[in-house]
Amino acid sequence: MIWETIYSHAMEWVKEAGKNIRQSFDKTLDIQTKSNQNDLVTNIDKETEQFIIRKIKEHYPNHKIMGEEGFGDELVSLEGIVWIIDPIDGTMNFVHQQRNFAISIGVYENGVGMIGIVYDVVHDEMYHAFKGRGAYLNDKKMPKLETASISEAIIALNATWVMPNHRIDHHLMIPLVRDARGTRSYGTAALEMVYVAAGRVDAYISLRLSPWDFAGGAVIVEELGGIVTNLRGEKLNYLNKDSLLVAKPGLHKTIIEEYLKNGEW
């Protein structure tokens, strides 16, 4: 079956890319900036994306590709089979810490997520899902997500929500943070999403992410019954930037209706 082959290839290529990244740790990085001084890209980001794209083009020349570093196609729709790639999600962590980053890939067919892979390179943890067949952490099948209450929830969030110049209703987050059991920030959307899938955190909130940040993680979370939307509770647009709320069932509705529904996101 074609999808089983794609699934196998994707995991094989991600594993190989991760090995190449680990071998770069003792080498000097070529670090550049993109939109601002904190938006980093390295030669390893670019090489990793180019490596994965070469593999895709070699085996699936008719598939389309959206990549963070711009080596893919210019897309105006998600028609057909589309690979959405983030070669290193958490580049700042990669540069400064050599940990807390991941390779993320989502493979979509006509806008529907079919395969999701998020690979924590340093810890050799591969989170992966094939639509309708469950989600796994390496070879271990992950259980369906259970409901959670705010008072017992650990919420991962992007700390930039506290910055007033972002013109968001950051004050609406204060009651949520106060009522939750605790908050965390890891600096990588892909890992924070799969931490929800694995039950390590109960929800994740961020702003203005790109499709490659959430495409892979969304497939994994949704396969386990988690909810993935923007902060208005709407379905994500995988061609544009959007806000993001990922949460266990029940908790997602509570966060939207009791904390975020009056915000301008």
Side-chain angles (χ1 to χ4, degrees), residues 81-102:
I81 297 178
V82 180
W83 297 62
I84 305 178
I85 303 169
D86 194 336
I88 297 182
D89 184 66
T91 299
M92 186 180 294
N93 291 345
F94 170 64
V95 170
H96 287 272
Q97 304 172 343
Q98 291 190 341
R99 65 194 65 243
N100 295 322
F101 66 90

Side-chain angles (χ1 to χ4, degrees), residues 23-31 42-44 47 94 98:
Q23 291 175 345
S24 76
F25 282 171
D26 60 353
K27 299 177 182 178
T28 301
L29 294 174
D30 176 10
I31 304 170
T42 73
N43 57 305
I44 304 301
E47 290 169 11
F94 170 64
Q98 291 190 341

Side-chain angles (χ1 to χ4, degrees), residues 49-221:
E49 181 167 305
Q50 290 170 323
F51 166 78
I52 295 171
I53 288 176
R54 281 198 304 271
K55 293 291 188 179
I56 297 169
K57 292 295 188 184
E58 178 184 345
H59 290 82
Y60 309 106
N62 295 325
H63 291 190
K64 301 173 186 175
I65 301 168
M66 179 192 300
E68 178 177 13
E69 307 311 333
F71 298 107
D73 304 307
E74 291 290 336
L75 300 184
V76 295
S77 78
L78 292 180
E79 292 181 2
I81 297 178
V82 180
W83 297 62
I84 305 178
I85 303 169
D86 194 336
I88 297 182
D89 184 66
T91 299
M92 186 180 294
N93 291 345
F94 170 64
V95 170
H96 287 272
Q97 304 172 343
Q98 291 190 341
R99 65 194 65 243
N100 295 322
F101 66 90
I103 302 171
S104 177
I105 291 181
V107 188
Y108 284 66
E109 183 177 35
N110 298 323
V112 177
M114 299 298 294
I115 293 170
I117 298 173
V118 173
Y119 184 40
D120 182 337
V121 173
V122 173
H123 295 102
D124 193 25
E125 291 185 337
M126 181 176 286
Y127 304 81
H128 55 101
F130 185 173
K131 184 174 177 61
R133 301 194 183 185
Y136 293 79
L137 172 49
N138 292 331
D139 296 327
K140 184 177 180 180
K141 191 170 185 177
M142 291 191 286
K144 288 285 188 177
L145 292 172
E146 299 180 355
T147 59
S149 65
I150 289 291
S151 63
E152 296 180 338
I154 301 295
I155 299 177
L157 51 82
N158 186 325
T160 57
W161 66 264
V162 302
M163 299 171 64
N165 64 338
H166 277 184
R167 297 181 181 178
I168 64 168
D169 293 327
H170 60 284
H171 63 280
L172 293 178
M173 294 286 192
I174 296 173
L176 175 60
V177 171
R178 180 194 62 215
D179 293 347
R181 174 168 282 175
T183 60
R184 299 291 185 270
S185 182
Y186 298 95
T188 161
L191 283 183
E192 287 169 294
M193 292 181 76
V194 294
Y195 285 174
V196 175
R200 295 176 180 177
V201 299
D202 302 287
Y204 170 56
I205 297 172
S206 192
L207 296 162
R208 279 180 299 283
L209 293 176
S210 296
W212 45 78
D213 296 314
F214 49 72
V219 178
I220 298 167
V221 172

